[in-house]
Amino acid sequence: MRRTTAVVMLVALLQAAVPVAARAAADPGTSRKQAQQPLYDLRVSSEKLAFRVYVNDLPISVLPTKRIGTIGMPLNPAILRSGPQKLTIRLLPATGQQRLPDTDDLKVELVVRSKTEPPRNTTLYELPPLRDGRQALFTDPQGFSQTVQFEAQVPYSLAGWERSVPLDAADPKLEAEALEVYRRLIADIGNRKGEAFMGALAKAQRLLYPAIYLSSAEARERDAEWVSFIDKGTGTVAPLEHHALEIHGDGKLVRLKRTDPASVDEGVVRIAYKRGPQPRTIVYDIYLHRPAPGAKLEPIWYFMTDFN
């Protein structure tokens, strides 16, 4: 079983028509929040349940197999602006289980960190105690979902995809168009065209940086490192296979996800490489949107995850 050792917060958010700095200046509390640089993390604790987490209808963590202990994940890249945020956790049978086990072993916590204040932990959800050895909420043995809200205060405001064109999964041309975008991205990696690959994500990268508080110099350095990684042919890009179409982002984002059991629900842009003797896989989970009627699909949001 693979274990996630790092989730690199390269989540793309674009289509903000007004520069972030200009928009944030209208908020009298922006200077204080900018100094604090608040970071929102989710902590999910369970030793008996598999789960999936969505924030504002964006998959933050897909763990289709049993993981022991506590899993932490960053939320800032999925938080476009201050205000209420929607979080959904979907509980599923773990590998080897035919149904959800009767358990109350689940705790979901929000951890808020900043440069100026100590961390704050808030419990967002816990399963209720068992009754006569049974979990009354698990009426569907194949899954259970719970949605809660939490409040976030951040020093940036991003339009994201709110003005993007709604997408229809039943559109017979949508998957073919998405496939064309993914094939081009994979070809750029395979042909060692780092500038082309990162260029396809450039607008998104520039709008990500406010959410993770990267300076311009740090952003340029990060981009250069990834261009060099691809140009050197450090890894081997996987072919585009075993995939299915999925709509997210309140109907305005589309992705291709893997369907094979070994990497089910993960992203389809994958680079195998070695760090010393250790084999690893970089997975880009890239989401596309249509910025205007008649426009082509383009990347707008992504997670990059490094597995061993």
Side-chain angles (χ1 to χ4, degrees), residues 159-211:
W161 41 89
E162 64 184 15
R163 293 189 294 272
S164 300
V165 177
L167 302 172
D168 181 3
D171 180 355
K173 298 181 180 179
L174 184 63
E175 184 166 3
E177 187 179 354
L179 280 167
E180 181 181 350
V181 177
Y182 284 103
R183 285 180 178 134
R184 185 168 61 249
L185 292 167
I186 289 172
D188 286 339
I189 298 172
N191 294 327
R192 302 187 182 186
K193 295 181 177 180
E195 290 282 359
F197 179 77
M198 297 306 295
L201 305 176
K203 294 179 181 177
Q205 296 269 50
R206 287 195 297 268
L207 287 178
L208 162 69
Y209 299 148

Side-chain angles (χ1 to χ4, degrees), residues 1-2 49-51 62-68 93-95 261-262 264:
M1 177 59 221
R2 296 178 307 174
L49 294 164
F51 58 86
V62 177
L63 300 175
T65 53
K66 187 175 182 180
R67 305 294 176 96
I68 299 300
T95 297
V264 63

Side-chain angles (χ1 to χ4, degrees), residues 19 24 56 76 93 100 104 106 108 124 130 136 171 174 187 192 205 235 238-239 252 265 267 271 274 298:
N56 299 324
N76 276 57
L100 287 172
D104 56 7
L106 177 77
V108 182
L124 295 180
L130 300 182
D171 180 355
L174 184 63
R192 302 187 182 186
Q205 296 269 50
K252 295 182 178 181
D265 289 332
I271 307 171
K274 283 189 176 182
E298 63 181 13

Side-chain angles (χ1 to χ4, degrees), residues 229 234-236 271-282 306:
F229 178 88
T234 307
T236 302
I271 307 171
Y273 77 106
K274 283 189 176 182
R275 183 182 297 169
Q278 179 68 54
R280 305 182 68 87
T281 302
I282 292 171
D306 194 340

Side-chain angles (χ1 to χ4, degrees), residues 19-71:
V20 171
R23 297 172 64 176
D27 180 358
T30 293
S31 296
R32 181 177 61 84
K33 287 184 286 187
Q34 188 68 54
Q36 291 175 332
Q37 294 189 354
L39 291 172
Y40 291 81
D41 296 331
L42 194 69
R43 182 181 297 166
V44 182
S45 301
S46 180
E47 296 189 359
K48 297 181 180 179
L49 294 164
F51 58 86
R52 298 174 187 171
V53 174
Y54 305 83
V55 173
N56 299 324
D57 197 30
L58 300 172
I60 300 299
S61 180
V62 177
L63 300 175
T65 53
K66 187 175 182 180
R67 305 294 176 96
I68 299 300
T70 299
I71 305 296

